């Protein structure tokens, strides 16, 4: 035990030397702001993209809804395959099928979905070709793979991807391309039409798209990128998560009936997890019903994001990433990102530094996650603060 403790301690010390040590601090939340210790800060690290989690009217309507009153159990007390498969599971899955014209299977989180599904697909003769910026949950789902069954392509680099497909399409029963709809760190959209074109060009190619950061906040009725571009029929596995713009909890995979049954029988994260409480599913169902009414929030979020990114590009001599409401300022060095984050906190802004393994080495950044309950003035002031920090750091 002494040796084990010493190794753990040494690892922590190395993280501190590399400005990569993480810790947890209690927080209180109030709308777009949070309080940590004695400071109240504008929260630029939230995935509550539509501001629904703290929207009093939205929450009151949910608590007054039939969905809440009829499905307000606070624990499932069992896995779905035992006694945890409450009626609301089937109701929500059926509603998702009407929206996306695919079978839906619910999971406890996006992490549970990606790990369980990818591990289950690993039992087949499949080559997984993954964008290098894919989410950590995909990577964890692929960890047990032998190296020949996983290949990576440069972020959103379609030439790199096409080359991998051309080299490998004859050697596998199927090739599965893994990507996100809206990437969680770079904040850019996948060129989904180009993926569809490659799928048509090569035999046995399938698309696995994770829309964790675009469902609810983007597209017609907030139903995400693939639905917005009318490309759903070409997507074999579509992952949606409910703990971000939908202000709920859980996730689902949308696929065909054969694979739904396959995952019910093989996805260990589904089989061996206590099911979500029915009240969480009721909340998700309610959010999907309300999404068409939230176009004003999505429009405001889009305009806010464009304005903020333009200001950053005008005023700062750093690379700025992001196509929508996730805007990142690339600072490259861990220590610099930590310094910027700490200085911002003294001026009323909560923007934690993003470091490895969340981003590649030498690409540390500040990630600004904008939400619909923010206004432009605080963000304009934020840019001024960043200018001062940058000037003092040079």
């Amino acid at each position: 035990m002494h040796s084990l403790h010493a190794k753990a301690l040494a690892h922590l010390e190395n993280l501190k030397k590399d400005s990569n040590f993480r810790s947890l601090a209690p927080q209180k939340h109030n709308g777009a702001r949070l309080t940590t210790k004695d400071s109240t800060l504008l929260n630029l690290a939230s995935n509550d993209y539509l501001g629904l989690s703290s929207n009093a009217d939205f929450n009151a309507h949910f608590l007054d809804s039939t969905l809440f009153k009829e499905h307000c159990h606070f624990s499932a007390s069992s896995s779905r395959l035992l006694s945890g498969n409450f009626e609301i599971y089937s109701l929500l899955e059926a509603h998702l099928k009407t929206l996306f014209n695919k079978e839906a299977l619910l999971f406890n989180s996006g992490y549970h979905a990606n790990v369980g599904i990818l591990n289950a697909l690993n039992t087949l003769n499949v080559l997984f070709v993954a964008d290098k910026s894919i989410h950590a949950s995909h990577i964890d789902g692929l960890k047990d793979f032998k190296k020949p069954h996983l290949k990576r392509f440069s972020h959103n680099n379609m030439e790199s991807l096409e080359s991998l497909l051309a080299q490998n399409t004859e050697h596998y029963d199927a090739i599965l391309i893994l990507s996100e709809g809206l990437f969680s760190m770079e904040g850019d959209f996948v060129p989904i039409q180009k993926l569809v074109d490659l799928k048509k060009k090569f035999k046995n190619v399938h698309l696995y798209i994770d829309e964790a950061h675009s469902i609810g906040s983007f597209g017609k009725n907030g139903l995400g990128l693939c639905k917005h571009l009318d490309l759903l029929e070409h997507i074999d596995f579509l992952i949606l998560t409910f703990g971000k713009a939908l202000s709920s909890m859980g996730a689902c995979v949308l696929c065909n009936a054969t694979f739904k049954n396959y995952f019910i029988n093989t996805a260990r994260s589904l089989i061996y997890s206590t099911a979500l409480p029915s009240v969480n599913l009721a909340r998700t169902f309610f959010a999907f019903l309300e999404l068409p009414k939230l176009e004003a929030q999505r429009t405001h979020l889009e305009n806010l994001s464009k304005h903020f990114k333009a200001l950053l590009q005008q005023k700062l001599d750093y690379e700025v990433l992001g196509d929508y409401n996730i805007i990142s300022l690339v600072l490259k060095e861990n220590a610099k990102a930590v310094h910027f984050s700490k200085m911002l906190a003294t001026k009323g802004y909560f923007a934690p530094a993003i470091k490895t393994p969340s981003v590649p080495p030498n690409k540390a950044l500040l990630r600004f996650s904008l939400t619909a309950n923010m206004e432009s003035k605080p963000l304009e002031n934020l840019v001024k603060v960043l200018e001062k920090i940058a000037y003092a750091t040079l």
Side-chain angles (χ1 to χ4, degrees):
M1 180 59 72
H2 175 73
S3 175
L4 185 64
H5 180 271
K7 288 182 178 180
L9 188 61
H11 181 70
L12 293 176
E13 289 302 318
N14 286 334
L15 290 175
K16 290 177 181 178
K17 290 176 183 177
D18 195 31
S19 300
N20 205 13
F21 182 79
R22 291 163 169 80
S23 60
L24 297 172
Q27 302 167 348
K28 293 181 180 180
H29 292 258
N30 181 18
R33 297 186 176 274
L34 63 78
T35 300
T36 177
K37 295 182 179 179
D38 298 323
S39 301
T40 298
L41 313 171
L42 182 66
N43 184 6
L44 291 156
S46 173
N47 296 329
D48 183 23
Y49 298 137
L50 296 179
L52 298 182
S53 66
S54 59
N55 186 311
D57 290 339
F58 186 88
N59 292 327
H61 290 154
F62 169 61
L63 294 175
D64 194 45
S65 70
T66 301
L67 277 169
F68 174 75
K69 293 173 182 177
E70 292 185 355
H71 305 284
C72 62
H73 295 277
F74 292 99
S75 175
S77 304
S78 175
S79 69
R80 285 190 72 183
L81 287 167
L82 294 177
S83 65
N85 194 37
F86 285 66
E87 178 188 24
I88 188 66
Y89 272 93
S90 297
L91 295 175
L92 178 54
E93 286 173 345
H95 182 68
L96 291 169
K97 182 177 180 179
T98 65
L99 292 178
F100 295 94
N101 197 31
K102 293 180 184 292
E103 294 290 339
L105 179 63
L106 297 168
F107 285 80
N108 284 17
S109 69
Y111 191 95
H112 283 83
N114 286 320
V115 168
I117 291 167
L118 293 174
N119 267 283
L121 290 171
N122 186 33
T123 62
L124 309 175
N125 183 30
V126 177
L127 173 66
F128 294 84
V129 182
D131 189 296
K132 285 190 175 180
S133 292
I134 207 74
H135 190 263
S137 57
H138 302 87
I139 300 302
D140 288 354
L142 303 173
K143 272 185 176 178
D144 293 333
F145 290 22
K146 296 177 182 178
K147 287 185 179 179
H149 297 292
L150 169 62
K151 296 184 183 296
R152 311 290 295 276
F153 61 95
S154 302
H155 176 56
N156 271 344
N157 186 325
M158 295 299 103
E159 291 76 17
S160 172
L161 172 57
E162 184 170 3
S163 177
L164 286 174
L165 296 178
Q167 294 168 28
N168 293 281
T169 188
E170 300 294 334
H171 305 298
Y172 293 87
D173 293 334
I175 294 180
L176 203 60
I177 300 172
L178 308 181
S179 190
E180 298 183 40
L182 179 64
F183 282 86
S184 58
M185 290 299 138
E186 287 85 352
D188 53 354
F189 289 109
V190 63
I192 188 67
Q193 181 62 61
K194 292 182 180 179
L195 291 188
V196 170
D197 292 341
L198 289 174
K199 176 183 176 179
K200 293 177 180 178
K201 181 175 180 179
F202 295 95
K203 68 177 184 178
N204 295 328
V205 170
H206 304 269
L207 297 181
Y208 185 108
I209 306 297
D210 189 334
E211 291 228 44
H213 292 273
S214 41
I215 186 65
S217 59
F218 180 81
K220 183 179 180 181
N221 293 330
L223 295 179
L225 178 68
C226 297
K227 176 77 170 181
H228 183 70
L229 297 178
D230 197 24
L231 294 173
L232 278 176
E233 64 178 299
H234 304 289
I235 312 303
D236 301 280
F237 305 97
L238 183 67
I239 307 298
L240 308 179
T241 64
F242 311 141
K244 298 177 174 65
L246 295 174
S247 72
S248 183
M249 184 177 181
C252 75
V253 59
L254 296 157
C255 56
N256 65 32
T258 297
F259 277 109
K260 176 176 178 176
N261 286 321
Y262 180 73
F263 297 139
I264 289 172
N265 286 276
T266 58
R268 293 170 67 86
S269 62
L270 171 72
I271 296 169
Y272 298 111
S273 289
T274 298
L276 285 176
S278 61
V279 66
N280 292 117
L281 304 179
R283 171 76 174 190
T284 299
F285 202 153
F286 180 80
F288 270 106
L289 293 175
E290 294 293 306
L291 278 182
K293 307 174 187 176
L294 301 172
E295 192 59 34
Q297 285 90 332
R298 287 187 287 272
T299 298
H300 175 66
L301 182 60
E302 180 180 6
N303 292 336
L304 193 71
S305 303
K306 288 179 179 177
H307 179 56
F308 179 60
K309 181 181 180 181
L311 283 178
L312 287 175
Q313 290 175 319
Q314 290 170 14
K315 302 295 184 179
L316 294 170
D317 191 25
Y318 290 102
E319 183 181 10
V320 180
L321 306 176
D323 291 339
Y324 196 55
N325 68 306
I326 299 171
I327 309 296
S328 294
L329 188 68
V330 181
L331 299 171
K332 297 184 178 181
E333 302 167 16
N334 285 351
K336 181 179 286 189
V338 170
H339 171 71
F340 269 65
S341 177
K342 288 181 177 179
M343 293 302 295
L344 285 178
T346 67
K347 301 298 182 180
Y349 297 96
F350 184 76
I354 306 297
K355 303 159 290 183
T356 55
S358 298
V359 292
N362 302 317
K363 201 174 181 180
L365 51 84
L366 291 184
R367 175 184 182 271
F368 303 108
S369 182
L370 307 189
T371 59
N373 54 353
M374 294 179 180
E375 298 299 332
S376 59
K377 189 62 177 178
L379 297 178
E380 292 168 358
N381 290 335
L382 169 59
V383 176
K384 294 177 182 178
V385 172
L386 285 167
E387 278 189 278
K388 292 179 181 179
I389 298 172
Y391 180 78
T393 305
L394 293 177

